[in-house]
Amino acid sequence: MVSVTTLACLTIATLLVAVLPVVLFWKLKPRFGFERREVILGIAVFALFSMVIERGLHGFVLSNATTAAWLANPAAFVAYAALAAGVCEEVGRYLAMKWLVSRHPQTLERRGTALGYGIGHGGAEAWLAGVLVQAQWIVYAVLANRNELDEHFASVPLDALMRLHLILGSLSPQYAALFLVERVAAFVFQIGFSVLMWQMLRERFRYTLPFMIAAHALIGVPAALFQARLIPLVAADAVYLVFGLIVVRALVRYFRSGGGRGAPTTSI
């Protein structure tokens, strides 16, 4: 059984994560003038490079006996998990922004181009990796409270059904709070990465892609450490809370200071 309080907290947290990118899109679009195509491009890149390419890479690596044995080492697992996310997402972001500038050079003049892209990329992650997954657990919790879960999963092996019950039993208001922190921080990081990459492309920084891969991988280390069971979830999310607040402050100062204005119109 999942308590009513826990179920309410999970629902509220999921709804907050769901509405965050939508509200920011409608609030910030008139002010910063980004186009829908930039938001859609961000959504498409996350869906392709993270949900398809990165997951395909994980499936290949984990299904190979040699690489699976190598990843049994916690240090190797942390390095792989952090780098895989960094490489897949930042290569996608880099290619998308290069394509956008080559097709629409005027985007370099708009300070909100990267903001629109970041809302799309981060919003896709919030929904695909957060809202939809959490909504599924809410449905399972409701079924469990109605004593309908076992019937619903009658064809599932017993050990898998037991794991499902164990996960449901671990849900709590604290878990909902950690979920909210994790998803909001991830959304903020995606906007921060997008703005940083866009600014470096405008300045023609030669090592933009390797720098962004390294930065993304570093942000991914706490999550990888948790997945390797080297640190608790609360420790990883505490790191993300602190760095998320730092990134929010940096973004506010960047846009208040006019960051992104007066870009040249030549393509990169």
Side-chain angles (χ1 to χ4, degrees):
M1 292 286 290
V2 179
S3 71
V4 174
T5 301
T6 295
L7 197 54
C9 290
L10 290 172
T11 303
I12 292 171
T14 304
L15 289 175
L16 289 174
V17 173
V19 302
L20 177 61
V22 178
V23 170
L24 284 184
F25 173 82
W26 289 112
K27 287 280 189 181
L28 300 181
K29 186 177 185 298
R31 180 177 178 182
F32 293 99
F34 52 79
E35 301 289 341
R36 288 187 179 182
R37 65 168 172 259
E38 294 151 9
V39 179
I40 294 172
L41 185 61
I43 294 171
V45 166
F46 179 82
L48 175 61
F49 283 85
S50 183
M51 303 303 291
V52 177
I53 295 177
E54 184 181 346
R55 290 194 175 189
L57 174 63
H58 293 333
F60 171 78
V61 170
L62 294 175
S63 65
N64 182 283
T66 301
T67 52
W70 178 69
L71 291 179
N73 182 301
F77 177 85
V78 170
Y80 164 76
L83 281 172
V87 170
C88 291
E89 289 198 49
E90 296 311 320
V91 167
R93 195 187 324 264
Y94 181 79
L95 293 176
M97 288 191 171
K98 292 277 283 187
W99 176 85
L100 184 64
V101 172
S102 67
R103 292 290 300 271
H104 307 281
Q106 71 277 11
T107 57
L108 287 173
E109 299 177 353
R110 293 201 304 269
R111 58 197 299 232
T113 299
L115 183 60
Y117 176 91
I119 289 174
H121 194 124
E125 181 178 26
W127 272 84
L128 296 176
V131 174
L132 297 181
V133 174
Q134 202 62 33
Q136 175 179 274
W137 285 111
I138 291 172
V139 171
Y140 292 165
V142 172
L143 290 173
N145 288 350
R146 294 178 177 177
N147 294 318
E148 298 176 2
L149 187 65
D150 291 355
E151 179 182 349
H152 186 78
F153 288 98
S155 60
V156 173
L158 184 60
D159 59 339
L161 185 58
M162 291 301 295
R163 284 197 298 271
L164 186 59
H165 279 284
L166 287 174
I167 293 173
L168 288 174
S170 69
L171 298 180
S172 66
Q174 291 76 16
Y175 168 85
L178 292 175
F179 164 77
L180 182 61
V181 169
E182 179 184 319
R183 288 298 99 206
V184 172
F187 179 74
V188 169
F189 292 146
Q190 293 294 3
I191 294 179
F193 286 143
S194 300
V195 170
L196 181 58
M197 178 176 282
W198 181 76
Q199 187 65 27
M200 287 194 294
L201 287 175
R202 290 179 66 244
E203 296 174 1
R204 302 173 186 270
F205 181 57
R206 181 177 299 179
Y207 304 107
T208 296
L209 184 56
F211 179 89
M212 292 303 304
I213 290 173
H216 196 129
L218 285 174
I219 288 293
V221 167
L225 288 171
F226 164 70
Q227 291 173 347
R229 300 181 180 180
L230 297 176
I231 62 173
L233 179 60
V234 67
D237 284 347
V239 173
Y240 288 137
L241 175 61
V242 172
F243 279 95
L245 292 173
I246 293 173
V247 173
V248 168
R249 180 176 174 80
L251 287 171
V252 170
R253 293 183 64 180
Y254 174 81
F255 284 105
R256 280 183 175 174
S257 66
R261 291 186 184 275
T265 57
T266 54
S267 61
I268 296 174

